[in-house]
Amino acid sequence: MDKKDIASYNLEELTQEMKTLGEKPFRARQIYAWLHQKLAGDFQEMTDLSKALRERLEAGYEIRKMEPVAHLISKKDPTEKFLFELADGNQIESVLMKYNYGNSACISSQAGCRMGCRFCASTIGGLNRSLRTSEMLRQIYQIQKITGERVSNIVVMGTGEPLDNYDNFLKFIHMVSDGNGLNISQRNITASTCGLVPQIHRLAEEGLQITLALSLHGSTQEKREKLMPIARKYKLSEVLAACDDYFDKTGRRITFEYSLVKGVNDTDEDIAHLTGILKPRNCHLNLIPVNPIRERDFQRPDRENALEFKNKLEKNGINVTIRRERGSDIDGACGQLRRRYQTVQKEN
Ligand code: SAH
């Protein structure tokens, strides 16, 4: 029988587990702190537990391993990239970006992705599986342990669609922001979605304070469909209504993400449509000049054209920024490191 994944239990569940083992409730608190504050990777580190208890834990539970198979440090900017191998051999990417306001970790929510966005490297091999809550948490724990840096901000913008792994993702948010764990403020967490409408409505009801980032990428229903297959399932109007619902219920302003693709979604017509969508809303627009991936021939607009696009939107009263590129020398973008490793392994 598989051992239980102890680091995916919240404190309440762990307390219940200890109860069934005949242990006192404070043991659960002790173990929880070892797992989620002292970031123990092994029961043997838990030296204030009796040897007998450690052995019982060892027999029935596991702290699933997540080993770094690559750690790349950018020479251009304070960005580090990690490729982790999960217990079953799947590999996932995480990124650490240092800013003057703190350190931000970009984590993956799935091994692979089934959403099929045309410009994205993470989805090319499809979805292998969703990550467990412990595997989302451990990316941050490992980054802290390996670098000695404290993570203060999280973006769930690595490989995968977090709302396609809803329950584990939600539990991750609760556990990472829990005072008994890393205690990272929900206001410092952003999760990005391609626009799964029912899940956005559901998330709006959870009473969270996280920022929702919505991958827009097209300024009309038609253009969105060309870049994102999911747009055929959920219409732009429905996606926008779900975003409005999220804002109304949480008071958190939506960030819209827009990957700028040369000749595809960077025209004056797009500016007009985007203005129509965003002007009435209390929101922010983040332009991401597309990162060309080997498998597709999408190009990013020239720097001046991207700036012009931004300036025109600004003149129309849109709150807009261009995302600064990070770690471009270390396959910083969107599933490219993971893919490169897969390709290398297949070639060997
Ligand atoms: N599944 C989530 C998270 C994906 S990654 C989502 O779809 O939002 C975070 C952002 O990076 C998304 O907006 C995604 O569309 C964008 N992205 C993916 N590949 C990209 C690329 N090659 N260039 C620019 N942006 C990309």
Side-chain angles (χ1 to χ4, degrees):
M1 209 183 74
D2 276 354
K3 292 186 181 178
K4 294 177 175 173
D5 175 20
I6 193 166
S8 283
Y9 290 135
N10 60 30
L11 185 56
E12 205 178 309
E13 290 164 335
L14 191 60
T15 308
Q16 201 51 46
E17 287 291 320
M18 288 306 111
K19 214 173 176 182
T20 51
L21 288 185
E23 294 287 341
K24 298 249 159 43
F26 80 90
R27 289 288 174 216
R29 280 194 173 274
Q30 242 175 330
I31 297 168
Y32 198 89
W34 272 112
L35 292 170
H36 302 290
Q37 287 182 328
K38 295 180 232 173
L39 315 185
D42 199 300
F43 294 115
Q44 296 317 319
E45 293 175 41
M46 305 182 180
T47 44
D48 54 359
L49 305 182
S50 69
K51 197 153 177 273
L53 177 55
R54 272 183 271 157
E55 267 160 26
R56 289 182 79 187
L57 291 174
E58 201 87 66
Y61 303 84
E62 63 178 341
I63 306 172
R64 289 169 68 90
K65 294 272 172 274
M66 183 184 284
E67 299 301 335
V69 289
H71 176 192
L72 308 179
I73 302 174
S74 171
K75 291 188 179 69
K76 288 184 166 176
D77 46 58
T79 301
E80 303 184 27
K81 183 138 200 177
F82 303 83
L83 188 70
F84 292 117
E85 185 156 310
L86 308 178
D88 65 357
N90 267 300
Q91 294 183 338
I92 55 167
E93 281 180 49
S94 323
V95 187
L96 173 70
M97 291 162 287
K98 298 181 198 165
Y99 296 96
N100 43 24
Y101 60 78
N103 295 323
S104 182
C106 173
I107 66 150
S108 295
S109 57
Q110 296 180 311
C113 184
R114 57 180 181 148
M115 296 300 140
C117 296
R118 298 286 303 149
F119 46 80
C120 180
S122 294
T123 196
I124 291 173
L127 175 68
N128 290 358
R129 69 169 172 87
S130 282
L131 298 190
R132 299 162 178 241
T133 297
S134 64
E135 291 167 333
M136 283 183 254
L137 290 167
R138 188 147 295 275
Q139 293 172 60
I140 298 163
Y141 300 175
Q142 286 291 54
I143 288 176
Q144 292 204 156
K145 285 171 81 165
I146 293 166
T147 64
E149 298 277 348
R150 211 174 67 86
V151 168
S152 55
N153 295 64
I154 300 168
V155 292
V156 188
M157 291 194 182
T159 298
E161 168 52 48
L163 301 188
D164 189 36
N165 183 17
Y166 190 92
D167 293 340
N168 292 345
F169 162 71
L170 181 65
K171 199 171 183 191
F172 161 78
I173 298 294
H174 283 301
M175 285 174 72
V176 83
S177 58
D178 181 357
N180 297 296
L182 286 189
N183 197 17
I184 294 177
S185 164
Q186 286 188 6
R187 291 175 168 263
N188 293 352
I189 304 175
T190 297
S192 179
T193 177
C194 63
L196 303 186
V197 168
Q199 286 95 319
I200 295 174
H201 284 297
R202 208 174 141 195
L203 197 68
E205 304 288 341
E206 307 280 2
L208 300 178
Q209 279 296 294
I210 66 170
T211 298
L212 187 67
L214 191 283
S215 294
L216 189 60
H217 303 323
S219 64
T220 60
Q221 172 62 20
E222 201 188 0
K223 284 205 173 183
R224 211 163 171 260
E225 278 183 24
K226 286 209 176 107
L227 294 170
M228 309 172 72
I230 194 66
R232 281 183 240 135
K233 184 158 180 192
Y234 301 115
K235 302 286 170 243
L236 180 55
S237 55
E238 297 171 318
V239 173
L240 294 172
C243 289
D244 292 344
D245 184 36
Y246 189 85
F247 175 70
D248 290 343
K249 300 230 167 86
T250 63
R252 302 292 291 161
R253 202 173 68 155
I254 303 285
T255 295
F256 289 95
E257 293 160 287
Y258 194 88
S259 296
L260 268 177
V261 189
K262 189 174 183 171
V264 175
N265 64 4
D266 64 345
T267 65
D268 282 342
E269 204 177 278
D270 292 303
I271 291 175
H273 287 302
L274 274 178
T275 304
I277 292 172
L278 302 177
K279 186 105 191 235
R281 297 186 157 84
N282 186 354
C283 64
H284 178 88
L285 176 65
N286 203 6
L287 300 172
I288 318 167
V290 78
N291 279 299
I293 58 174
R294 236 164 267 127
E295 293 80 355
R296 308 264 189 269
D297 58 1
F298 289 125
Q299 298 301 318
R300 56 170 52 183
D302 307 329
R303 180 82 200 149
E304 306 86 79
N305 292 349
L307 268 177
E308 199 183 312
F309 194 85
K310 173 188 172 255
N311 291 339
K312 284 182 179 170
L313 283 165
E314 230 159 31
K315 275 207 193 94
N316 291 351
I318 305 300
N319 187 334
V320 50
T321 47
I322 300 184
R323 185 158 89 182
R324 215 164 12 117
E325 192 174 27
R326 285 283 199 138
S328 56
D329 55 332
I330 50 169
D331 281 334
C334 317
Q336 302 201 85
L337 177 62
R338 178 171 169 270
R339 263 201 79 64
R340 187 156 65 84
Y341 264 70
Q342 284 173 340
T343 318
V344 171
Q345 282 180 353
K346 275 187 201 136
E347 281 167 2
N348 280 342

